[in-house]
């Protein structure tokens, strides 16, 4: 396995582990809580993370990362435990998939704003990590508004 892929896997385990730890701290009846009518619920945030990661996995397999497929199991959005379970299954699938790939593998990245671009697998993994950090920021705000304490992702 490539050194950079191995490092991503180690980093992802820590970073995603913190996300999972936070999600487990949320009272189950808060899954549909949102800080504002124009912002997603906690369940919607989890669902979005799942559909995005699934798009990355499919794209790594097929050579084209495209976020236009939005189908998902509605239980993920309504049940934190189901969301966690699905995130963990996606993590396992991603880990097994990238283990046999080169970080220089070329992929097409379909961005809804910028159009299509060529990126490497390493860049795709960097984007996925950035996306996780983004949601950790959202969860930090949600958690504080819910008085869940000062959970720290870093």
């Amino acid at each position: 396995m490539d050194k950079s892929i191995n490092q991503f896997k180690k980093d992802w385990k820590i970073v995603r582990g913190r996300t999972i730890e936070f999600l487990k701290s949320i009272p189950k009846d808060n899954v549909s809580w949102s800080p504002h009518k124009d912002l997603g619920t906690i369940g919607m945030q989890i669902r979005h993370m799942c559909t995005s990661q699934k798009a990355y996995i499919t794209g790594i397999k097929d050579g084209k990362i495209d976020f236009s497929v939005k189908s998902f199991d509605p239980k993920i959005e309504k049940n934190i435990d189901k969301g966690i379970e699905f995130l963990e299954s996606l993590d396992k699938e991603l880990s097994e998939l990238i283990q046999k790939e080169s970080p220089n593998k070329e992929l097409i990245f379909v961005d809804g704003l910028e159009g299509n671009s060529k990126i490497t697998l390493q860049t795709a993994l960097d984007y996925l990590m950035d996306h996780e950090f983004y949601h950790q920021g959202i969860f930090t705000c949600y958690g504080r508004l819910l008085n869940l304490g000062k959970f720290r992702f870093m």
Side-chain angles (χ1 to χ4, degrees):
M1 175 180 359
D2 181 86
K3 185 177 178 183
S4 61
I5 297 287
N6 193 38
Q7 187 61 51
F8 171 84
K9 288 173 65 171
K10 288 178 184 176
D11 293 344
W12 185 255
K13 185 175 182 177
I14 293 167
V15 172
R16 174 51 66 83
R18 291 177 181 147
T19 301
I20 299 293
E21 183 182 344
F22 174 77
L23 295 176
K24 288 178 177 178
S25 77
I26 298 171
K28 306 299 181 225
D29 58 342
N30 282 333
V31 71
S32 60
W33 182 86
S34 173
H36 188 274
K37 66 179 179 62
D38 293 334
L39 299 174
T41 66
I42 290 170
M44 290 168 76
Q45 297 295 332
I46 297 168
R47 183 254 310 145
H48 171 75
M49 293 170 71
C50 290
T51 57
S52 294
Q53 187 172 344
K54 187 66 178 167
Y56 276 96
I57 291 168
T58 301
I60 292 166
K61 289 178 187 173
D62 300 344
K64 182 178 180 182
I65 300 171
D66 184 349
F67 301 99
S68 63
V69 176
K70 302 289 184 189
S71 63
F72 65 94
D73 179 348
K75 292 177 189 164
I76 291 169
E77 199 172 288
K78 304 292 183 199
N79 183 311
I80 291 175
D81 291 332
K82 292 284 183 192
I84 292 169
E85 183 180 299
F86 192 57
L87 286 170
E88 290 174 336
S89 72
L90 289 171
D91 290 346
K92 183 176 189 279
E93 185 178 0
L94 178 66
S95 180
E96 291 170 358
L97 175 63
I98 64 175
Q99 186 167 330
K100 53 191 171 207
E101 296 287 354
S102 164
N104 298 317
K105 176 181 179 175
E106 285 196 359
L107 303 166
I108 301 295
F109 188 82
V110 181
D111 182 327
L113 300 173
E114 304 293 326
N116 296 359
S117 59
K118 285 186 180 180
I119 63 171
T120 64
L121 172 59
Q122 185 63 57
T123 299
L125 296 175
D126 290 345
Y127 290 172
L128 182 59
M129 186 71 78
D130 289 346
H131 190 250
E132 189 76 5
F133 290 142
Y134 169 78
H135 282 281
Q136 287 180 345
I138 290 172
F139 287 141
T140 296
C141 294
Y142 281 29
R144 289 188 180 166
L145 290 169
L146 284 168
N147 295 313
L148 296 179
K150 294 190 176 192
F151 192 89
R152 297 179 60 92
F153 285 99
M154 302 308 243

